[in-house]
Amino acid sequence: MKHLVASRMERCIGCHSCSLACARLVHKCLSWENAGIRIQSSGGLSTGFTAKLCLVCDPAPCAAACPTGSLKQRKGGGVTQNKKLCIQCGKCAAACPVDAIAQDRQGNPYVCIHCGSCVEFCPHDCLEMREAEG
Amino acid sequence: MITENFRILEVNLSTERSAIKNVPGVETVLGGSGLAAKLHLEYSRPGLAWDDPSQPLIFAIGPLTGFFPLMSKTVCAFTSPLHGQYAESHAGARSALALRFAGIDALVVIGKAERPTVLHLGANVIEFMEAGYLWGKDALTTGKLLRRILKGSGHRTIMRIGPAGENKSAMACINVDTYRHFGRLGGGGVMGAKNLKAIAIEGNNALELPAGKEYANLFVDIYRKLTDTDMMRKYHNLGTASNLEALNELKALPWRNLQATSDPGIEGITGERFADDTLLRNAACAGCPVGCIHIGFVREKFHKDNQYLYRQVGYDYEPIFATGSMLGLTHAPDVLTVMDEVEKAGLDVMSGGVALAWATEALEKGVVTQEQTGIDLRFGDAQGYMRAVHMLGGAVNDFWRTLAGGTTAAAARYGGGDFACVLGQEMAGYATGEVFYVAQGLGLRHSHLDTGAYTYDQSKAPKDVDKALAFLLEDERERVILTSMVACLFARKVYDPETLRQCLTVLGGQALADGLDDAAARIQKLRWQARAAGGYDPMNVRIPKRFLEVETWKGRTDPQYLEELRLAYAGAIREMCGQGDVKPA
Ligand code: SF4
Ligand code: SF4
Ligand code: SF4
């Protein structure tokens, strides 16, 4: 199963096209935050931008932390999401070691489901869908 | 989605009270430029000084902001410290999306804070942060400190001023997220006068989208056009800096205070030179896949034991003209270094560079003395300019304080008006001919972006006053629609009126789409009325003598054509300013 990797972030220009695409196509809203991928300027000594994005854990700590089964282990790593089961407890976001889950002001979690919709909107090919290793 | 009313956040710094207002007019003024002019007419007090606490500082976005690519700009409007009248300045970075996701169409700041203040806003926050510790800090340091101080996801804009703004300079810019600026006409001075060091806006809300596939499909269409065509290449490749060589070739690049229009020194400051020797990376405004922002890199040895410091500086055509050719600097790293100091001081780079060029010639000619300036300035001497930038930003003595009020003000006091390169405000980098001089000299924003006059000069158009006038009026009207949406003007080829109509319609704005042409004419007039409310009379604008001495590929400036076009354009502007729905002063 393929998953999204932000493999060439050195090329990123910080346009937020990827986040906007995920919000538009997956979550049906206009946002640069309610998205599976979110862009931040790196600051500090390094320059450029970093992506906050699911790293496809297997087993996934966020799924283990989810009390209702809204997030479930995905084959090949990462999670599948059933929004209807979510009670906005925020346990998943707290469990993710790399801050890949965003919560909106109502507490709804946003996590990458590795659908690949954002890839074609990155103007510099920073993103790719990659087959899981091993 | 298109709403029935504008949602305006009014913040009063004097009382620390705010109000959310539903303001009608979406169908008549659209947003952006139109909304800014409307709000300025409603809020401003034309009889009072520009720095009276009651005068508004306005930031407006448009109906398409964030919904489509390159709808990424914000219009900032205020009463200018330079001329005391309506002024507009445009910038991008994250400002437009931050306002959109904060849920407001415009922010209106009135009043004056008692102490230095940072205004922290968002969809669920309005906060006045005491910021005495930031006063005196340069614009870059201020940004760094605020990023550390403010919590949250980081999806925000930070608009701040440097020392020039604190000193209420007419050349002070508002720095937006480090690499973009509300540069021209002294918006930074307006923030300084309000004791407002920075405005941070959190874009922390999501918005609804139209149901169905139509919107997403239209988005893809436009996105493809913007990224698949050559247009993207031109702007993200060498960027606007590619114009340096072209204009020098045409003998239209101002050198050393416009004493020449081409110079072999161009080799050191072409777009290619900057890209090959200094380009570190590109960056983009939020919502723009083009990424025209070019960030150059320069390192500086500060100790003989190979100890280096480095600077990252955003460059473009205009900053290179203003701190390069105009100051006789022909070594790209020197130009970036002076630019970096300009950034820190919080000066508008064009006004700052042109003012320093005037000061240099004034010193050369003995119009001012070194006693008055406190420093010797020579074309080509980067070290001198690095210091002078801070003398100008800091308004350190009588001379620099006067110059901070504009080169015209300094020339009125000391002399040297003949060689002040001022067209309404300090010139942009186009010595292309009569149409540009008149267009910037009289234009609403005195900006090279009011119209494409510099392109018109370069076309084969005959010296025909009627044709040139028609071009100026028509081009302004077309741009006014884009700056009301608010689009980046680099996207103007893609966002033709038909495409804009589709965008508006898909977002539920059928009425706006149908009335687009009428709105264009209405907003064009409205902006001029906003300007006229402050007492603008285009007939009083004079083009300094230096512009008559310019020699380009076309030969010398034609004084008769220049004068006839000046009178014709001034007449047309007066007509647009004429009686209408201007509020009584
Ligand atoms: S969201 Fe975080 S915890 Fe969950 S699988 Fe992805 S990286 Fe792991
Ligand atoms: S792969 Fe799909 S879910 Fe993940 S960030 Fe991209 S669009 Fe969003
Ligand atoms: S779309 Fe690509 S370039 Fe733009 S922010 Fe996302 S990763 Fe960076």
Side-chain angles (χ1 to χ4, degrees):
Chain A
M1 242 179 148
K2 286 190 175 181
H3 62 266
L4 180 71
V5 191
S7 48
R8 289 177 288 267
M9 285 303 287
E10 318 82 81
R11 300 174 171 198
C12 175
I13 55 171
C15 67
H16 298 271
S17 296
C18 50
S19 311
L20 290 162
C22 180
R24 180 172 66 249
L25 301 168
V26 179
H27 302 288
K28 312 287 180 208
C29 65
L30 185 70
S31 174
W32 53 2
E33 223 161 65
N34 297 2
I37 183 169
R38 288 155 338 265
I39 302 300
Q40 271 191 334
S41 58
S42 344
L45 275 179
S46 59
T47 62
F49 300 91
T50 50
K52 284 189 172 179
L53 173 67
C54 170
L55 299 182
V56 283
C57 309
D58 191 4
C62 57
C66 176
T68 65
S70 175
L71 294 187
K72 277 208 177 109
Q73 183 69 48
R74 176 178 171 273
K75 222 182 273 165
V79 289
T80 59
Q81 183 176 21
N82 181 347
K83 286 187 181 180
K84 281 190 199 124
L85 300 179
C86 181
I87 56 165
Q88 294 86 33
C89 67
K91 297 281 187 206
C92 55
C96 175
V98 293
D99 202 14
I101 303 181
Q103 280 181 281
D104 65 16
R105 293 200 288 125
Q106 290 72 39
N108 298 304
Y110 295 85
V111 60
C112 176
I113 53 166
H114 303 282
C115 68
S117 304
C118 54
V119 174
E120 62 168 322
F121 289 96
C122 175
H124 289 292
D125 294 325
C126 303
L127 312 174
E128 63 174 309
M129 291 297 284
R130 198 185 270 173
E131 206 60 63
E133 284 145 37
Chain B
M1 305 286 287
I2 311 297
T3 48
E4 207 184 316
N5 290 314
F6 294 115
R7 192 160 188 269
I8 310 295
L9 173 62
E10 176 194 302
V11 175
N12 187 328
L13 293 169
S14 302
T15 61
E16 300 202 346
R17 306 301 301 169
S18 304
I20 295 275
K21 300 199 160 166
N22 284 315
V23 174
V26 173
E27 279 170 27
T28 49
V29 302
L30 306 179
S33 282
L35 177 56
K38 173 186 161 73
L39 290 171
H40 194 270
L41 275 164
E42 282 165 15
Y43 277 89
S44 71
R45 308 274 179 85
L48 300 179
W50 70 270
D51 58 351
D52 188 274
S54 65
Q55 302 284 20
L57 173 64
I58 298 160
F59 299 89
I61 56 172
L64 301 183
T65 300
F67 285 98
F68 290 97
L70 273 85
M71 290 292 170
S72 48
K73 297 276 165 178
T74 304
V75 174
C76 175
F78 49 90
T79 303
S80 170
L82 183 69
H83 52 46
Q85 299 158 11
Y86 177 69
E88 254 182 51
S89 185
H90 303 174
R94 291 188 293 274
S95 62
L97 263 59
L99 281 159
R100 171 100 299 156
F101 294 130
I104 52 176
D105 299 301
L107 165 67
V108 181
V109 182
I110 51 174
K112 177 182 177 179
E114 211 168 295
R115 285 178 294 276
T117 293
V118 170
L119 184 57
H120 185 210
L121 306 171
N124 60 344
V125 48
I126 299 175
E127 222 171 37
F128 302 83
M129 297 162 55
E130 157 114 47
Y133 57 92
L134 289 177
W135 209 250
K137 293 272 183 292
D138 72 61
L140 300 181
T141 304
T142 302
K144 280 188 196 136
L145 289 170
L146 279 171
R147 278 197 293 278
R148 200 188 307 162
I149 292 161
L150 298 167
K151 307 277 178 282
S153 69
H155 284 116
R156 68 166 74 91
T157 189
I158 301 179
M159 313 191 280
R160 68 274 191 173
I161 57 171
E166 296 175 10
N167 292 320
K168 307 206 290 184
S169 167
M171 299 179 188
C173 75
I174 301 172
N175 178 302
V176 188
D177 304 326
T178 309
Y179 296 118
R180 300 284 94 177
H181 317 80
F182 295 110
R184 311 230 67 188
L185 293 168
V190 176
M191 278 182 67
K194 293 190 173 304
N195 258 331
L196 186 54
K197 182 68 178 173
I199 304 173
I201 304 174
E202 309 286 342
N204 57 345
N205 212 6
L207 275 80
E208 251 181 65
L209 287 177
K213 286 226 158 73
E214 226 184 323
Y215 163 71
N217 289 345
L218 182 59
F219 186 103
V220 172
D221 253 21
I222 293 171
Y223 186 92
R224 291 277 163 260
K225 276 190 202 143
L226 284 164
T227 51
D228 290 350
T229 59
D230 267 358
M231 156 199 156
M232 175 167 183
R233 191 151 177 271
K234 177 167 147 207
Y235 292 115
H236 83 193
N237 180 15
L238 292 177
T240 55
S242 66
N243 287 337
L244 281 143
E245 205 172 5
L247 283 165
N248 190 69
E249 187 73 22
L250 281 174
K251 297 211 215 150
L253 178 65
W255 282 88
R256 297 177 297 276
N257 201 38
L258 196 50
Q259 297 182 83
T261 49
S262 85
D263 191 285
I266 189 68
E267 263 183 51
I269 57 169
T270 60
E272 264 117 81
R273 174 69 67 196
F274 272 89
D276 288 348
D277 296 358
T278 80
L279 184 56
L280 183 65
R281 63 187 170 101
N282 278 56
C285 294
C288 167
V290 175
C292 77
I293 303 174
H294 287 63
I295 300 170
F297 166 89
V298 51
R299 62 175 198 163
E300 199 175 300
K301 200 171 190 172
F302 67 89
H303 192 277
K304 60 178 169 27
D305 295 342
N306 281 309
Q307 302 298 299
Y308 287 92
L309 60 84
Y310 67 92
R311 307 164 185 263
Q312 296 177 53
V313 195
Y315 70 78
D316 254 309
Y317 173 75
E318 299 294 348
I320 299 174
F321 135 74
T323 59
S325 63
M326 198 63 172
L327 299 179
L329 298 182
T330 52
H331 184 48
D334 285 349
V335 176
L336 287 180
T337 302
V338 173
M339 242 182 248
D340 191 40
E341 298 302 323
V342 169
E343 288 284 15
K344 289 178 185 161
L347 283 166
D348 169 44
V349 69
M350 284 188 246
S351 293
V354 173
L356 290 178
W358 172 83
T360 309
E361 191 172 339
L363 270 167
E364 260 179 8
K365 291 203 154 75
V367 169
V368 295
T369 64
Q370 208 179 307
E371 257 114 75
Q372 288 168 318
T373 61
I375 187 173
D376 191 21
L377 294 173
R378 260 164 295 165
F379 290 117
D381 173 22
Q383 291 299 320
Y385 290 125
M386 279 174 67
R387 287 177 50 212
V389 161
H390 293 288
M391 298 172 95
L392 178 58
V396 294
N397 66 19
D398 211 32
F399 172 79
W400 294 105
R401 205 170 309 117
T402 309
L403 190 55
T407 306
T408 303
R413 164 109 178 253
Y414 299 100
D418 284 354
F419 57 86
C421 295
V422 176
L423 297 165
Q425 68 179 328
E426 283 69 12
M427 78 177 298
Y430 303 93
T432 53
E434 299 84 358
V435 184
F436 178 74
Y437 306 149
V438 169
Q440 193 194 323
L442 276 63
L444 189 109
R445 299 199 276 144
H446 303 298
S447 160
H448 61 289
L449 297 171
D450 277 329
T451 61
Y454 54 91
T455 314
Y456 188 86
D457 274 332
Q458 292 172 57
S459 73
K460 296 229 160 17
K463 276 188 196 169
D464 182 322
V465 172
D466 293 339
K467 285 206 173 102
L469 179 64
F471 167 80
L472 290 177
L473 298 176
E474 178 67 30
D475 202 41
E476 181 191 330
R477 190 157 49 241
E478 275 172 27
R479 286 171 183 239
V480 130
I481 285 295
L482 292 166
T483 63
S484 296
M485 290 292 125
V486 178
C488 173
L489 288 173
F490 289 165
R492 60 183 177 266
K493 295 223 166 71
V494 171
Y495 285 113
D496 52 51
E498 192 39 46
T499 306
L500 289 174
R501 280 192 193 97
Q502 287 173 9
C503 293
L504 289 166
T505 305
V506 86
L507 295 180
Q510 182 76 52
L512 278 73
D514 292 344
L516 207 57
D517 293 338
D518 290 347
R522 186 182 309 116
I523 296 167
Q524 185 179 25
K525 262 183 127 176
L526 189 73
R527 290 164 95 216
W528 281 112
Q529 288 164 0
R531 187 78 204 268
Y536 183 55
D537 186 351
M539 286 293 173
N540 295 338
V541 177
R542 291 286 179 279
I543 313 281
K545 195 160 160 228
R546 176 57 47 89
F547 293 96
L548 294 167
E549 298 159 356
V550 170
E551 216 168 316
T552 69
W553 79 104
K554 292 187 292 196
R556 241 174 134 85
T557 307
D558 179 340
Q560 196 186 337
Y561 181 40
L562 184 80
E563 183 59 9
E564 282 173 16
L565 186 58
R566 183 182 77 83
L567 291 173
Y569 192 33
I573 291 171
R574 268 192 173 174
E575 234 170 79
M576 288 187 285
C577 290
Q579 311 314 314
D581 33 10
V582 191
K583 81 167 177 188

